[in-house]
Amino acid sequence: MLLEDVEALKKKIKALIAFRVIFATLLLGSFYLSSGYSKLPSAFALSYLIISLYVVTIVYSLLLVRVKRLVLFAYTQLVLDVIFEIILIYITGGIESWFSFTLILTVISSSIVLNKRAGYFIATLSSILYGVLVNLQFYNVLPLTIGEIIEEKNYLSNIFVHTIAFYLTAYLSGYLSSRLEKTVKKLEEKVMDLRDLEYFNREVIEGLPSGLFTTDLSGKVLTFNRAAERITGVKKESLIGRRIDSVLPYFKIPFSEGRTEGTIMVDGVQKIVGLGVSPFRGIDESTKGFIGIFQDLTQLKRLEAEMKQKEKWAAIGELSSNIAHEIRNPLASLKGSIEMLKEDSIPKNHKERLMEIALNEMERLNRIITDFLTYSRPTPPECKKFDLHGLLDDAIELLKNVEQNNRNNISIQKNYNDIIEINADPQKMRQVFWNLGINAIEAMIEGGELIITTKNTGGFIEISFKDSGTGIAAKDIEKIFYPFFTTKEQGTGLGLAIAYRIVEEHNGIIRVDSRTGNGTIFNIMLPVTDEKA
Ligand code: ADP
Ligand code: MG
């Protein structure tokens, strides 16, 4: 048996003992006072019975604390009750006694204190003992105390009626008490649920690390958790029942949808707060009020700003070291050439060669610096409408010249679709096409083919440069648009960085698709704009 059940049974047995003694006192007391007593043939017997009942009650009470086998204890009491009652019935006239109803009370008690089965057991015991008593009277083994003659069929029907009554009582009381038990169990579960809910409310909502408030439809505060108090520095007591913005102006009513950020002043210190408010609905789906959840973002924002600052410094540092590196190389060869030129003894043709190297290096330095300035100090684009294909043709002409003067093993194809007029800065666009074209040529040392395709897809103008060159290694592809990223000995790594920047200035996108050995395709998408230049 569970501990709770033991406690419950103990309580029931206590009630049984109390009920018995109170009932006996009242019933028998009133019987003494009434006229019935004087008619009794054995008044002493009744007195003995009552005294022993009290004695038994005292014994029961003493035993209750000590007894371990409570069910057996209860059975013993109930059986003894039946015996007491049979004696009582016998004393008060047997078949004529109206105390036979006390047996019914014991049947009911047994159903309540124990269970249905005990009810039937006591009903059976009562029927047998009552039957025996009445039969003994019928056969005159026990004397009929109140001398009248009773007919045989009265004896039988009396026994019959009593037996039926006992069993019916056992059935009904058993049914009711089991129903009652179930209901009590259910009720207890409900109470547990409620307690859980209360716990949830208190611990979870109060323990939430975010500030939480709820208001009714007019913005009057219903709940305000601990974190909310901590963040705002406002005590719950000073808010409950008042409009939230009367104390905390940041929480403006009506609440704005989605997440918002703002600042609040807490003890003279500014705090950044992120707030999300959503309506809460009742069971009937109608809006009942609002739930707001907010966080103190001050620390986070500070960290974020610090991170950004750090990233910026890191990028600047990297860029600076790249520039230094790019400039130092040509400077070193310049220095070398000039130092050698200082010697008087070197032959004339050697001198000329050194001069040429020095000039070339200066040229290269100049180019790096110009490119870098183009990249780092972009001028705003001066847009105008022009024919895209005309501009591309010019660029291709220049590329061809360069190529033919070099190795002359590359063919450049045009694949123009539609007539395309774009609104852009032609100077800058020329730069983009030049950078992409030169890269393509440089990637096709063994010769190959560059196809330039244009398309107007409605929303966008697409320009692609597809070459059959070396392709780009997967590990490099993310870096090719970074300034100073180059895989070429003489490269500056600024061509694509500049192209990227210019396309971005035109609100376009530049993408690359390439694999080592498979050629490369650069795709530029420029939005079609209607504005006049
Ligand atoms: P640079 O040409 O001075 O190296 P870019 O910014 O123009 O600098 O290009 C960066 C790098 O991207 C190149 O060094 C090269 O490795 C790679 N790259 C760019 N275009 C192509 C291409 N069409 N095919 C293969 N690799 C390319
Ligand atoms: Mg380049």
Side-chain angles (χ1 to χ4, degrees):
M1 237 193 301
L2 292 173
L3 198 67
E4 300 162 31
D5 294 345
V6 172
E7 283 307 310
L9 183 56
K10 225 173 217 174
K11 250 191 211 157
K12 282 180 188 169
I13 294 175
K14 245 186 232 169
L16 177 68
I17 296 170
F19 174 75
R20 181 187 302 119
V21 74
I22 292 168
F23 185 78
T25 307
L26 286 177
L27 191 76
L28 300 175
S30 70
F31 188 70
Y32 264 110
L33 296 176
S34 75
S35 55
Y37 177 59
S38 53
K39 280 197 216 151
L40 275 186
S42 50
F44 280 121
L46 190 59
S47 304
Y48 287 137
L49 191 69
I50 292 168
I51 289 167
S52 51
L53 198 100
Y54 281 113
V55 171
V56 157
T57 299
I58 293 167
V59 173
Y60 288 161
S61 312
L62 291 177
L63 280 179
L64 184 63
V65 227
R66 246 149 286 179
V67 160
K68 289 266 142 45
R69 302 181 61 182
L70 284 170
V71 176
L72 186 69
F73 186 46
Y75 264 113
T76 314
Q77 287 188 32
L78 291 164
V79 170
L80 283 178
D81 280 350
V82 173
I83 293 168
F84 268 116
E85 279 151 9
I86 292 291
I87 295 171
L88 176 65
I89 292 164
Y90 170 63
I91 295 170
T92 53
I95 185 165
E96 292 193 308
S97 167
W98 49 269
F99 277 114
S100 59
F101 80 92
T102 53
L103 287 169
I104 288 182
L105 289 183
T106 303
V107 173
I108 295 175
S109 312
S110 54
S111 305
I112 294 173
V113 174
L114 292 166
N115 49 32
K116 233 189 300 191
R117 204 162 355 125
Y120 285 122
F121 173 72
I122 295 297
T124 310
L125 185 68
S126 301
S127 306
I128 293 170
L129 292 184
Y130 188 76
V132 168
L133 174 70
V134 172
N135 266 308
L136 288 178
Q137 283 189 318
F138 179 69
Y139 291 111
N140 281 325
V141 179
L142 287 174
L144 264 178
T145 45
I146 308 166
E148 290 152 52
I149 308 296
I150 296 167
E151 283 177 38
E152 182 182 355
K153 72 166 192 247
N154 283 354
Y155 277 97
L156 283 178
S157 72
N158 190 294
I159 294 173
F160 182 68
V161 165
H162 274 86
T163 306
I164 295 275
F166 295 150
Y167 278 100
L168 214 65
T169 309
Y171 170 73
L172 276 177
S173 58
Y175 172 74
L176 287 178
S177 79
S178 75
R179 274 284 292 269
L180 190 73
E181 210 146 281
K182 267 182 209 150
T183 316
V184 168
K185 272 240 165 70
K186 258 193 201 141
L187 210 71
E188 272 169 3
E189 273 164 24
K190 280 267 151 51
V191 170
M192 284 292 281
D193 286 353
L194 266 175
R195 220 177 293 150
D196 281 355
L197 213 68
E198 214 180 280
Y199 178 80
F200 176 81
N201 189 32
R202 210 176 40 239
E203 291 308 311
V204 178
I205 294 189
E206 283 301 321
L208 221 58
S210 298
L212 180 139
F213 65 80
T214 58
T215 70
D216 64 9
L217 282 174
S218 68
K220 280 200 192 112
V221 178
L222 303 171
T223 37
F224 201 70
N225 76 351
R226 263 201 302 272
E229 288 182 335
R230 195 186 57 235
I231 295 170
T232 59
V234 175
K235 283 270 159 249
K236 173 162 49 192
E237 292 72 34
S238 58
L239 258 176
I240 298 285
R242 302 176 60 184
R243 268 176 64 123
I244 193 162
D245 56 356
S246 67
V247 181
L248 293 161
Y250 164 64
F251 299 99
K252 253 196 307 297
I253 298 168
F255 299 113
S256 36
E257 283 198 4
R259 276 196 76 79
T260 52
E261 271 177 32
T263 50
I264 55 172
M265 292 299 282
V266 181
D267 302 330
V269 183
Q270 214 179 37
K271 275 189 181 176
I272 302 170
V273 172
L275 168 70
V277 179
S278 45
F280 77 80
R281 296 179 205 292
I283 298 167
D284 59 352
E285 285 293 302
S286 66
T287 305
K288 290 275 185 271
F290 300 96
I291 305 178
I293 294 188
F294 58 97
Q295 290 87 16
D296 183 355
L297 303 178
T298 319
Q299 204 74 351
L300 207 74
K301 290 276 161 187
R302 195 177 301 145
L303 274 177
E304 214 175 83
E306 273 168 20
M307 282 294 285
K308 259 192 200 145
Q309 196 64 18
K310 270 193 193 134
E311 267 168 26
K312 209 156 113 187
W313 282 115
I316 289 174
E318 198 186 325
L319 208 63
S320 315
S321 79
N322 281 334
I323 298 170
H325 180 78
E326 287 298 319
I327 291 176
R328 189 170 281 153
N329 286 344
L331 269 184
S333 61
L334 245 180
K335 190 178 171 222
S337 309
I338 291 172
E339 269 171 357
M340 283 169 96
L341 280 170
K342 258 196 347 201
E343 311 278 320
D344 295 328
S345 55
I346 43 173
K348 191 171 182 283
N349 62 338
H350 205 146
K351 240 183 199 167
E352 266 167 18
R353 174 90 189 98
L354 283 171
M355 289 283 239
E356 201 176 302
I357 291 175
L359 281 172
N360 268 342
E361 291 303 323
M362 275 194 230
E363 176 75 10
R364 185 164 144 68
L365 263 179
N366 194 28
R367 205 174 65 232
I368 292 172
I369 288 166
T370 319
D371 278 358
F372 183 65
L373 286 181
T374 314
Y375 172 74
S376 66
R377 273 220 316 244
T379 49
E382 290 170 23
C383 291
K384 65 175 187 202
K385 280 204 164 162
F386 61 88
D387 171 30
L388 174 67
H389 296 148
L391 190 81
L392 274 172
D393 285 344
D394 291 350
I396 290 168
E397 215 46 53
L398 286 174
L399 286 170
K400 270 188 179 152
N401 279 341
V402 171
E403 206 275 320
Q404 276 154 11
N405 292 339
N406 255 326
R407 291 185 302 268
N408 197 11
N409 56 0
I410 290 170
S411 83
I412 302 180
Q413 313 274 333
K414 302 180 210 174
N415 178 17
Y416 295 166
N417 296 292
D418 317 312
I419 296 168
I420 300 176
E421 201 174 46
I422 63 168
N423 187 25
D425 183 327
Q427 214 51 43
K428 293 190 173 217
M429 277 301 146
R430 181 175 295 134
Q431 173 94 59
V432 173
F433 300 149
W434 173 256
N435 289 1
L436 293 184
I438 285 290
N439 278 349
I441 290 170
E442 283 170 354
M444 296 186 284
I445 308 163
E446 312 282 292
E449 162 172 81
L450 169 64
I451 306 170
I452 297 170
T453 308
T454 63
K455 236 187 308 195
N456 188 347
T457 63
F460 283 95
I461 288 157
E462 277 187 39
I463 308 145
S464 68
F465 282 62
K466 184 177 188 294
D467 68 54
S468 56
T470 54
I472 304 170
K475 70 173 170 53
D476 290 341
I477 207 139
E478 276 177 24
K479 297 182 234 159
I480 56 167
F481 292 109
Y482 290 177
F484 299 112
F485 177 80
T486 179
T487 56
K488 300 166 194 166
E489 202 146 299
Q490 286 292 310
T492 62
L494 286 167
L496 285 180
I498 291 169
Y500 189 89
R501 167 130 293 154
I502 292 173
V503 172
E504 205 176 41
E505 279 168 1
H506 285 82
N507 300 317
I509 306 167
I510 180 165
R511 281 207 212 107
V512 62
D513 187 8
S514 175
R515 229 152 288 144
T516 322
N518 263 343
T520 304
I521 177 162
F522 279 93
N523 230 317
I524 300 169
M525 305 212 330
L526 295 172
V528 174
T529 49
D530 286 334
E531 308 122 59
K532 279 159 204 86

